[in-house]
């Protein structure tokens, strides 16, 4: 089915161009016309073969970011369990390297739209639920394996990690010179070390 | 100077209408025309006496939110020090009641714009720096007063609190039914309790 593959490939390529434009100039400034031009389409109407409108393109872009993050988490936690797996998950979500910085810029743009668009909000909420579920599993392993003390309140440990990771999307954007990748990793390592020591 | 007072009052009133519209329908959907109409101005041009354009109005709106948060923090920490003052600060920043939920919705909208607008980003960064400075002072008091063990790394404790509070702006928006005000307060109390017990 070469034509179907081609269609999927082009959708991906359009989405990647969209990410780049959002990261460079902001979601409102990146028009369908700009995106079409950057993709090399002389007529913006060609985009409509792939995405009926900007909202559909943005929804697909956000979904693809979540999928790719989840693929990286799967790779980063493969063959690991407990604290090591938790570390693998956290390091794929925080915006501490050039790829995840672009993803974070796109995420911040989507959060704005998610406030008034249910479909976008559902994608963001589902990603949070998925990460939370993974974290609770890794925490249970850490407890079972004796890597940490019994956890009085694993839900709150997961809340803490999840909110720190979302917060880093914001603070690293507002103050990139101070909230560097290494400072972000230091923060996550400190929390994982405390968890290993005391169970939370 | 009744005219100056009147001018300032009207600016505030326009900003409050802007907040409400942003919270209800999103920052992009709230046009200068809508804002003027909601303020009771028959001609949108009257807004220009107060704000030359939408960017200026948004910048002033974000600044006023930060000022009001800081006024509430000053009231919530007055006569307190150490952990009690830290609690007072945190409870004014997290979006755990109707007023702070509206402020958080506006903040999420501004973060999107702050990615590409230096003046907005500077307002956001300055607020983070101010809160961080206050937190480090309260942590030093808690240590001095013997409320907590000596802090090995107060900067990282402040990072942790600050990022959790920013993260709650995001997660409570994406999943308001789960991330309720009481769950947010529970998370903050748990962290303050751990800090009192172990120093971090």
């Amino acid at each position: 089915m070469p034509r179907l593959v081609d269609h999927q490939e082009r959708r991906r390529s359009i989405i990647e161009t969209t990410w780049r434009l959002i990261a460079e100039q902001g979601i409102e400034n990146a028009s369908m016309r700009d995106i079409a031009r950057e993709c090399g389409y002389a007529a913006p109407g060609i985009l409509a073969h792939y995405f009926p409108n900007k909202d559909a393109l943005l929804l697909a872009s956000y979904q693809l970011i979540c999928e790719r993050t989840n693929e990286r988490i799967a790779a980063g936690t493969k063959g690991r369990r407990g604290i090591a797996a938790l570390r693998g998950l956290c390091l794929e979500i925080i915006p501490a390297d050039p790829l995840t910085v672009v993803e974070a810029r796109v995420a911040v743009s989507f959060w704005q739209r998610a406030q008034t668009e249910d479909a976008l909000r559902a994608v963001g909420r589902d990603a949070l639920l998925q990460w939370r579920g993974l974290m609770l599993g890794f925490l249970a392993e850490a407890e079972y394996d004796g890597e940490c003390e019994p956890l009085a309140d694993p839900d709150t440990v997961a809340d803490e990690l999840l909110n720190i990771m979302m917060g880093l999307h914001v603070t690293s954007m507002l103050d990139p010179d101070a909230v560097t990748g290494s400072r972000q990793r230091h923060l996550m390592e400190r929390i994982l070390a405390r968890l290993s020591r005391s169970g939370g």
Side-chain angles (χ1 to χ4, degrees), chain A:
Chain A
M1 292 179 293
R3 296 199 61 191
L4 183 61
V5 171
D6 187 55
H7 188 82
Q8 290 291 79
E9 269 307 299
R10 287 205 182 198
R11 273 177 62 97
R12 282 209 164 221
S13 149
I14 293 166
I15 289 173
E16 282 166 11
T17 302
T18 305
W19 288 349
R20 185 165 55 75
L21 285 183
I22 289 175
E24 281 170 16
Q25 60 195 50
I27 203 166
E28 302 312 325
N29 298 325
S31 68
M32 289 296 266
R33 183 172 296 272
D34 292 341
I35 294 165
R37 192 173 47 231
E38 286 288 317
C39 292
Y41 298 138
I46 295 178
L47 267 193
H49 295 199
Y50 301 95
F51 302 98
N53 53 44
K54 190 170 172 183
D55 281 345
L57 171 56
L58 294 176
L59 180 59
S61 300
Y62 194 29
Q63 282 172 323
L64 187 58
I65 282 189
C66 293
E67 276 171 33
R68 292 214 174 161
T69 305
N70 287 332
E71 283 165 14
R72 290 202 314 272
I73 290 170
T77 57
K78 195 169 181 226
R80 292 183 180 152
R81 49 185 280 134
I83 302 288
L86 197 55
R87 173 179 293 110
L89 178 143
C90 293
L91 294 182
E92 295 303 339
I93 295 175
I94 62 173
D97 63 40
L99 171 67
T100 45
V101 165
V102 170
E103 289 184 348
R105 290 183 75 98
V106 178
V108 170
S109 301
F110 283 116
W111 292 337
Q112 196 268 108
R113 290 201 162 224
Q115 297 188 103
T116 50
E117 286 174 33
D118 293 346
L120 282 178
R121 192 162 62 249
V123 175
R125 188 196 57 216
D126 290 352
L128 291 180
L129 286 174
Q130 167 145 12
W131 298 336
R132 203 182 153 68
L134 288 171
M135 284 194 281
L136 289 172
F138 299 145
L139 287 170
E141 288 171 353
E143 211 176 341
Y144 181 84
D145 296 349
E147 287 189 292
C148 65
E149 299 289 312
L151 295 166
D153 189 355
D155 277 317
T156 307
V157 175
D159 276 356
E160 194 174 341
L161 283 164
L162 205 50
N163 281 296
I164 287 174
M165 293 190 287
M166 294 303 104
L168 287 171
H169 283 61
V170 177
T171 59
S172 68
M173 180 277 290
L174 291 174
D175 199 357
D177 294 335
V179 187
T180 59
S182 68
R183 182 152 152 196
Q184 294 182 54
R185 283 186 291 267
H186 174 72
L187 178 58
M188 299 316 294
E189 287 299 341
R190 181 180 177 282
I191 294 163
L192 294 172
R194 184 180 62 220
L195 195 58
S196 311
R197 214 163 48 231
S198 69

